């Protein structure tokens, strides 16, 4: 039986998280390449990005070298230590802002046959929540479907970090069956 492991890291990233959330709130003062834009999802063709009503939010992508290359590498190192995974080759940090009515309907971060093999997700929203999207055989774990509930008052800021499958061979060994 495949049991999904979800870990909540309360206060693990406090100092760093506060800095990252401060950056989120300053996002309107960032260079044009880092500004929030309407969130998109990758279509069934695994190439085309679409704006769809299932996802109502704004997104910015920030990389290790942004903000003088000081803050994000420290956060990434903490995430690597907490998860035992390598962030080498990982996607940039995804910063999301959900305004009133903003939401994301139930979805998988790594659906079957998805071009980006996201082995794991670290979702930072107050605390950090971590889960594996793929089992050790590299198959999508359907129990990782999750959603972003609609914002009824104020706004919500979320930061995602996705760890890629192919970068984990030395840290997360392959299994012979999905249950390993």
């Amino acid at each position: 039986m495949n049991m999904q492991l979800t870990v909540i890291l309360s206060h693990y990233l406090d100092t760093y998280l506060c800095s990252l959330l401060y950056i989120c709130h300053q996002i309107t003062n960032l260079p044009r390449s880092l500004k929030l834009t309407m969130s998109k999802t990758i279509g069934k063709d695994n190439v085309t990005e679409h704006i769809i009503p299932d996802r109502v939010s704004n997104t910015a992508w920030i990389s290790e070298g942004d903000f003088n290359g000081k803050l994000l590498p420290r956060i990434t190192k903490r995430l690597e230590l907490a998860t035992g995974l390598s962030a080498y080759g990982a996607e940039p940090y995804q910063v999301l802002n959900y305004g009133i009515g903003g939401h994301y309907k139930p979805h998988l971060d790594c659906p079957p046959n998805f071009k980006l093999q996201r082995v794991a997700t670290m979702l930072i929203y107050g605390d950090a929540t971590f889960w594996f999207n793929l089992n050790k055989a590299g198959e999508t774990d359907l129990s990782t479907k999750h959603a972003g509930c609609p914002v009824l008052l104020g706004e919500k800021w979320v930061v995602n970090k996705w760890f890629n499958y192919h970068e984990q061979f030395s840290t997360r060994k392959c299994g012979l069956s999905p249950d390993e």
Side-chain angles (χ1 to χ4, degrees), residues 1-165:
M1 172 185 248
N2 188 7
M3 298 294 290
Q4 174 61 28
L5 172 69
T6 301
V7 177
I8 308 242
L9 301 170
S10 296
H11 310 295
Y12 184 76
L13 297 166
D14 274 350
T15 304
Y16 299 111
L17 181 58
C18 289
S19 299
L20 191 54
L21 290 176
Y22 174 77
I23 288 168
C24 293
H25 286 288
Q26 302 303 315
I27 209 112
T28 54
N29 299 324
L30 293 176
R32 186 168 188 70
S33 61
L34 300 175
K35 289 219 183 274
L36 289 165
T37 59
M38 288 182 72
S39 298
K40 299 176 183 174
T41 58
I42 296 176
K44 293 183 192 237
D45 65 0
N46 260 327
V47 176
T48 311
E49 293 184 338
H50 304 279
I51 296 172
I52 61 171
D54 289 359
R55 183 178 196 180
V56 179
S57 62
N58 292 300
T59 302
W61 297 91
I62 53 177
S63 300
E64 300 290 318
D66 295 331
F67 313 107
N68 299 321
K70 294 180 181 175
L71 175 64
L72 293 179
R74 291 191 307 198
I75 293 172
T76 300
K77 188 62 177 170
R78 294 277 312 250
L79 296 180
E80 287 179 326
L81 290 170
T83 64
L85 298 175
S86 169
Y88 178 80
E91 294 172 63
Y93 286 87
Q94 181 191 49
V95 178
L96 294 159
N97 173 254
Y98 295 86
I100 299 290
H103 65 276
Y104 197 175
K105 290 191 176 176
H107 64 283
L108 295 164
D109 285 348
C110 189
N113 303 313
F114 190 56
K115 73 175 181 175
L116 299 171
Q117 291 294 297
R118 296 171 172 162
V119 68
T121 296
M122 179 72 77
L123 183 137
I124 304 167
Y125 172 63
D127 292 328
T129 304
F130 172 82
W131 66 86
F132 286 103
N133 298 305
L134 303 175
N135 60 33
K136 287 198 172 189
E139 300 167 340
T140 299
D141 183 341
L142 299 177
S143 72
T144 64
K145 187 178 272 192
H146 59 286
C149 293
V151 174
L152 302 177
L153 181 67
E155 62 183 347
K156 173 171 59 174
W157 289 90
V158 177
V159 178
N160 287 313
K161 184 67 170 178
W162 289 298
F163 297 87
N164 293 331
Y165 180 73

Side-chain angles (χ1 to χ4, degrees), residues 136-138 173-178 180:
K136 287 198 172 189
K173 302 298 183 195
C174 300
L176 298 176
S177 74
E180 287 188 59

